Amino acid sequence: MKKIVVALDGHSSCGKSTTAKQVAKELGYAYIDTGAMYRAVTLYFLEHYIDLTNPKKVQDALAHIEVTFHRNPKTHRNEVFLNGLNVEDEIRTMYVSNMVSEVSVIPAVRRAMVAEQQKMGKRRGVVMDGRDIGTVVFPDAEVKVFMTADVETRAKRRQEELFEKDQLVPFDEIVENLKKRDHIDSTREDSPLRQAEDAHLLDTSHITIDEQVEFVMRLVDSKLAHLSVTNE
């Protein structure tokens, strides 16, 4: 059967990654968390005190960054490695969250990550989630979904995720972080967060993860059935 690209774009903490992982599992596709790639770059920049306003420093730093995904045999999850070191937990901290949008807005960073993402998905058979998958990384993706939710719901979900990792962060601080990231992501000049014209809108404010997965899988099944008929 022909393999396709499934692109899930949208705001932070609206269920993109969890939905994408489950869709990829059902399809037997690779899952690529592009947001984690930007978080890993952000962590490197923070640890090495890279001046974000200095293009040469940024470019030099990018030349020393390798972001890879490895499956954890115990948890069966893909985990993020930065230059060979597992940084899965560290990149999810508020320390990184507070800076990731400012790093992601840098054109050189976006070009480097987009190129890597396009390599990963060149053979199709991938589910990617991020901000610009359906508009920039894979504008020819066969299935595109734009996910959103109200900011209070997203903040509650984010707070629960952090709590599970023993990070206690005030609700108001998370709300402000999400609003700041939304503004930066949607107003940046280079590949801003926006819904592709051919993307299906999915508001996850009041639905479960299973319902989100079902919504995406219906679109995938319909597309695969259509491709099967047209290829006969």
Side-chain angles (χ1 to χ4, degrees):
M1 183 180 290
K2 180 180 173 66
K3 291 189 174 183
I4 64 174
V5 171
V6 180
L8 304 185
D9 289 310
H11 299 99
S12 303
S13 301
C14 59
K16 294 192 308 295
S17 295
T18 305
T19 299
K21 287 174 191 173
Q22 291 196 28
V23 169
K25 184 177 180 181
E26 290 198 26
L27 292 171
Y29 281 12
Y31 163 62
I32 299 171
D33 180 355
T34 64
M37 297 173 73
Y38 288 102
R39 284 176 172 271
V41 172
T42 301
L43 178 61
Y44 183 94
F45 282 8
L46 287 168
E47 289 181 337
H48 292 82
Y49 305 99
I50 303 300
D51 180 359
L52 303 185
T53 65
N54 187 322
K56 186 177 187 308
K57 294 287 186 184
V58 168
Q59 198 65 56
D60 289 346
L62 287 169
H64 293 90
I65 293 175
E66 180 185 39
V67 181
T68 54
F69 294 90
H70 298 283
R71 192 168 182 78
N72 185 317
K74 293 182 180 179
T75 63
H76 304 293
R77 294 186 311 162
N78 268 359
E79 295 182 339
V80 184
F81 283 67
L82 172 61
N83 294 337
L85 295 176
N86 189 328
V87 294
E88 178 64 31
D89 290 334
E90 197 164 359
I91 64 171
R92 310 294 177 182
T93 61
M94 287 299 291
Y95 168 66
V96 172
S97 293
N98 285 330
M99 284 297 296
V100 66
S101 288
E102 292 180 35
V103 171
S104 300
V105 78
I106 301 171
V109 173
R110 299 212 69 81
R111 285 195 297 271
M113 293 301 101
V114 167
E116 287 301 309
Q117 292 153 17
Q118 289 173 333
K119 282 183 194 174
M120 293 176 181
K122 190 162 73 170
R123 295 184 181 179
R124 321 303 278 185
V126 296
V127 180
M128 283 193 185
D129 72 279
R131 301 288 190 282
D132 59 353
I133 311 305
T135 53
V136 176
V137 183
F138 282 102
D140 62 342
E142 289 83 356
V143 172
K144 300 179 186 179
V145 178
F146 188 88
M147 298 173 66
T148 189
D150 64 70
V151 72
E152 287 78 15
T153 299
R154 291 158 54 206
K156 182 181 177 183
R157 291 171 181 169
R158 180 71 176 139
Q159 190 177 47
E160 289 171 354
E161 289 172 8
L162 292 167
F163 182 73
E164 287 174 4
K165 296 175 181 175
D166 298 320
Q167 297 178 50
L168 301 177
V169 182
F171 184 79
D172 289 347
E173 182 181 336
I174 297 174
V175 168
E176 288 309 307
N177 172 257
L178 291 174
K179 287 180 177 179
K180 173 188 172 187
R181 291 179 64 188
D182 287 348
H183 176 72
I184 294 174
D185 290 344
S186 59
T187 59
R188 65 186 178 220
E189 290 186 17
D190 198 323
S191 56
L193 168 65
R194 64 180 177 82
Q195 181 179 344
E197 290 183 6
D198 53 346
H200 299 264
L201 180 64
L202 175 60
D203 188 326
T204 70
S205 300
H206 306 293
I207 64 174
T208 65
I209 290 295
D210 286 345
E211 289 170 327
Q212 293 170 204
V213 173
E214 184 181 348
F215 178 92
V216 178
M217 286 303 300
R218 281 200 303 268
L219 296 174
V220 171
D221 290 342
S222 175
K223 176 57 70 173
L224 290 174
H226 175 73
L227 290 173
S228 177
V229 170
T230 57
N231 289 333
E232 286 181 355

